[in-house]
Amino acid sequence: GAGISDPTAFSATTLSSHEINLAWTKSGGNDVIISYNTTNNFTKPGNGISYTNGHSFSDGSKILYQGPLSTFKHHNLDQNTNYYYKIWSKSPTNIYSNTGVTDNATTATVQNPNNFAASSASQSQINLAWLLNAASDSVMVVFNTSNTFINPTDGVAYSSMPTGYGTILTQSQLTSYLHTGLTTNTTYYYKIWSKDGALNYSSGDLKTAMTSSVADPQSFTATASST
């Protein structure tokens, strides 16, 4: 690596719960090679060796990118996780700068929807309402007749919940849902999660509501009379 300088101004910046942006200034027009890890441990690429992206070293680091760009977005990451990065310059003959430059960033946590509320509308209907989180992530709403839920697993797309853990009402960017066809005088439990584009889920918010026990009159009038 003698005579090949490291890139400068290397930075790792959190973009979301599943994405980190990397940026740098190249040195001497050389390409770069970047490794990443979840610990601050890195193996320097060996001079004269050509690596493929995804190559793993014994310390757990992996080759993420190599090429002529000066920015790169690392996608499909776990939420609330610290990622470490190290960058070297790379010559056309696969000679690498000696020292390398490191930086790290922590992915964001998916936030719950705001102001989740469940309210009885009749003997057979409960109205649900909420606001999307600041990232406008989609939501998943599940109901049950007992307070029995499981937290969804990041990276998993659900078409239904496991038996006994409720029924999915909606997966969408809606901000309300009218739950109809319910049983009179019954308590229903609802849990809502935000989920981002990489299927990372928030911690979840729980609410309950009870359907009415007696139906309101269909009409009501008051007539004045004289005595």
Side-chain angles (χ1 to χ4, degrees):
I4 299 178
S5 300
D6 287 320
T8 59
F10 182 50
S11 64
T13 305
T14 299
L15 295 179
S16 69
S17 59
H18 62 276
E19 189 174 58
I20 290 173
N21 186 65
L22 305 175
W24 58 90
T25 299
K26 294 194 297 182
S27 175
N30 287 305
D31 287 358
V32 301
I33 186 168
I34 302 173
S35 287
Y36 79 99
N37 205 343
T38 52
T39 63
N40 192 18
N41 294 303
F42 292 96
T43 297
K44 178 185 178 296
N47 287 332
I49 300 175
S50 177
Y51 295 92
T52 57
N53 291 340
H55 176 88
S56 297
F57 295 97
S58 59
D59 55 15
S61 61
K62 293 182 179 181
I63 301 295
L64 175 65
Y65 169 79
Q66 47 190 327
L69 299 179
S70 56
T71 63
F72 184 84
K73 291 181 180 179
H74 193 191
H75 300 284
N76 300 321
L77 305 178
D78 294 329
Q79 66 170 310
N80 195 29
T81 301
N82 197 27
Y83 289 88
Y84 296 84
Y85 301 90
K86 193 162 188 176
I87 189 171
W88 297 266
S89 295
K90 172 186 176 181
S91 78
T93 56
N94 298 318
I95 303 300
Y96 305 95
S97 57
N98 282 324
T99 305
V101 183
T102 59
D103 200 8
N104 67 90
T106 301
T107 50
T109 300
V110 178
Q111 298 299 313
N112 282 326
N114 298 310
N115 302 335
F116 183 43
S119 58
S120 175
S122 70
Q123 287 178 297
S124 60
Q125 180 174 315
I126 290 173
N127 295 343
L128 306 174
W130 59 89
L131 297 175
L132 300 180
N133 64 18
S136 296
D137 289 321
S138 298
V139 300
M140 181 169 75
V141 181
V142 176
F143 89 94
N144 209 342
T145 52
S146 64
N147 187 12
T148 306
F149 298 95
I150 60 168
N151 286 321
T153 300
D154 287 346
V156 177
Y158 290 86
S159 58
S160 63
M161 304 306 291
T163 302
Y165 291 102
T167 301
I168 296 173
L169 292 177
T170 183
Q171 299 189 77
S172 64
Q173 285 192 303
L174 297 174
T175 56
S176 64
Y177 188 91
L178 307 183
H179 192 195
T180 60
L182 306 180
T183 303
T184 300
N185 197 31
T186 301
T187 298
Y188 289 86
Y189 298 81
Y190 300 90
K191 197 159 188 181
I192 190 171
W193 294 268
S194 299
K195 62 173 183 176
D196 66 14
L199 296 179
N200 294 308
Y201 295 86
S202 65
S203 59
D205 191 6
L206 176 71
K207 291 293 184 292
T208 64
M210 179 182 288
T211 51
S212 302
S213 58
V214 178
D216 291 330
Q218 293 185 357
S219 63
F220 176 72
T221 60
T223 304
S225 62
S226 60
T227 56

